Amino acid sequence: MPKKERMRFVSAEQVAQLAGVSRSAVSRTFTPGASVAPATREKVLRAAEELGYHVNDLARGVLANQSRLVGIVATRPEVGFRAHLAAALAKLLIRRGSIPILVNTGETEEELLAAQKMLIGHRAEAIIILSGSPPASFLELAQRNGQPLVVIGRSEPDADHVRAGNSEASHKAATALYESGRRRLAVIGSNTGTPAIVERESAFLSTAEALGASVVVARGDDSDYDGGVTAGRALFSNKIKADAVFCANDQIAFGLMDVVRLETQLRVPEDVAVIGFDDVPESAWLSYRLTTFRQDPLVMAQRAVELMERRLDNPDAPAGSERVIPELVIRQSFRP
């Protein structure tokens, strides 16, 4: 069996030999702001292009005790809105010259700290958390190492954060359903107890009760399609005559709608109006045509990157906060 050859990247020394210049001239050519004669630069760039040479950014990061790595930490990043948010973050980070690293982790303190230590060990310039509740030790470790930390979806007193206008959207949902004549309302969340889910549940509940509507709460184990199915079955198997349901996210709404249409004699929206939250692409599918509150992943990602850049420029600045108010997108599952 032939011996497997080790991968060999083109070195700066090879470029120097082909260009007929010194190794330091190659280094200066690829160092922004460094002084190098135009003729020398031209020879180096021509040789680099011929050989396919690229600067070893990893080695530079080690020498500078930092890197352009940015950690994106998320639980189940492939699900729902988080998938689109992670994709938007990666796109913006690459555009600014950063290298995004997606860390798929859990929500326990041990898992989060393990992810953080790995990113600190690789000298990541910042961490962006899409989900989970970072413990105090997580924040303290980031601060001790001077590592910017941005949290999306929850607020932390000592961290920059981006949040959706959960309470505003939930208040609008309850009011719109009530004003359309719906009086038996329900809200579906999950047992995960994430800050966003809790805020959406409680704001809808308090608004509905203040308006004088009857309202019940149902929850699945997780904030996903299966959670919507579980909560929907619990809701309608108990013969609760809910005529409108606000779901804490679109994945939950899809599960609920399938239960209503396939396992009951009820119709959406004639018998049961449904409103979701996030406006993931599937919301516009003909099978659902879900009325929902739109979170724009690109806007959320942009705000997070801006906070990160602000922190990199001014490490001692007070914690920054951004709040993005979702827009109601009207489709067929509920029309005010």
Side-chain angles (χ1 to χ4, degrees):
M1 178 180 291
K3 184 178 181 180
K4 185 176 180 180
E5 291 189 7
R6 180 181 178 186
M7 182 182 293
R8 295 181 180 179
F9 292 98
V10 177
S11 68
E13 184 62 37
Q14 290 173 285
V15 175
Q17 290 175 0
L18 181 61
V21 300
S22 67
R23 169 66 177 78
S24 62
V26 175
S27 178
R28 290 198 305 275
T29 297
F30 290 100
T31 300
S35 176
V36 60
T40 300
R41 180 186 300 275
E42 177 63 26
K43 288 192 291 185
V44 170
L45 292 178
R46 187 165 53 245
E49 182 176 0
E50 181 178 336
L51 293 172
Y53 170 76
H54 290 274
V55 175
N56 188 338
D57 287 320
L58 181 60
R60 283 191 173 186
V62 171
L63 292 173
N65 200 32
Q66 62 180 2
S67 71
R68 291 183 294 148
L69 304 179
V70 175
I72 301 174
V73 179
T75 301
R76 299 180 68 194
E78 75 282 3
V79 176
F81 180 71
R82 283 195 298 274
H84 303 286
L85 180 56
L89 280 167
K91 179 179 180 179
L92 291 177
L93 289 169
I94 291 172
R95 184 181 297 171
R96 76 179 291 271
S98 297
I99 304 169
I101 295 183
L102 178 61
V103 181
N104 185 356
T105 186
E107 296 187 14
T108 67
E109 180 172 348
E110 292 76 14
E111 290 169 315
L112 285 167
L113 285 175
Q116 184 187 31
K117 290 176 180 178
M118 180 193 72
L119 291 169
I120 288 177
H122 284 80
R123 299 299 186 264
E125 64 176 341
I127 297 177
I128 301 176
I129 298 182
L130 307 193
S131 57
S133 177
S137 52
F138 193 110
L139 302 175
E140 292 168 3
L141 186 57
Q143 290 167 350
R144 286 201 305 269
N145 285 273
Q147 189 176 51
L149 178 67
V150 180
V151 182
I152 301 180
R154 61 176 294 123
S155 60
E156 293 292 340
D158 299 318
D160 299 314
H161 62 269
V162 181
R163 299 186 70 183
N166 297 309
S167 57
E168 294 90 337
S170 300
H171 171 80
K172 186 173 183 177
T175 302
L177 290 170
Y178 184 85
E179 290 180 348
S180 71
R182 312 279 176 163
R183 293 293 182 270
R184 301 182 304 276
L185 310 184
V187 55
I188 293 183
S190 77
N191 292 324
T192 57
T194 62
I197 296 295
V198 170
E199 186 177 359
R200 293 168 198 173
E201 282 186 19
S202 60
F204 183 89
L205 186 62
S206 61
T207 300
E209 290 177 342
L211 290 170
S214 64
V215 56
V216 295
V217 180
R219 298 187 182 96
D221 290 333
D222 209 339
S223 308
D224 56 9
Y225 179 89
D226 289 339
V229 169
T230 299
R233 285 172 174 165
L235 190 63
F236 290 101
S237 66
N238 290 332
K239 307 302 180 183
I240 296 174
K241 301 298 182 180
D243 58 11
V245 183
F246 174 56
C247 299
N249 68 26
D250 292 343
Q251 302 296 320
I252 292 173
F254 300 151
L256 166 78
M257 291 176 71
D258 284 345
V259 167
V260 171
R261 295 180 304 183
L262 302 176
E263 299 183 3
T264 75
Q265 302 300 313
L266 302 174
R267 301 164 299 165
V268 176
E270 293 85 355
D271 302 312
V272 182
V274 181
I275 299 178
F277 199 110
D278 284 338
D279 194 30
V280 297
E282 297 88 340
S283 298
W285 287 5
L286 295 178
S287 296
Y288 297 110
R289 292 178 289 178
L290 175 66
T291 294
T292 184
F293 287 91
R294 174 165 175 75
Q295 290 196 90
D296 189 326
L298 196 58
V299 171
M300 299 286 281
Q302 183 64 55
R303 300 289 178 84
V305 171
E306 289 172 355
L307 285 173
M308 181 191 77
E309 291 177 336
R310 190 183 310 166
R311 179 62 53 193
L312 288 168
D313 291 339
N314 187 359
D316 298 322
S321 174
E322 295 284 346
R323 194 171 181 87
V324 181
I325 306 302
E327 170 191 1
L328 183 61
V329 179
I330 305 298
R331 297 194 182 94
Q332 297 302 313
S333 69
F334 170 65
R335 304 188 67 86

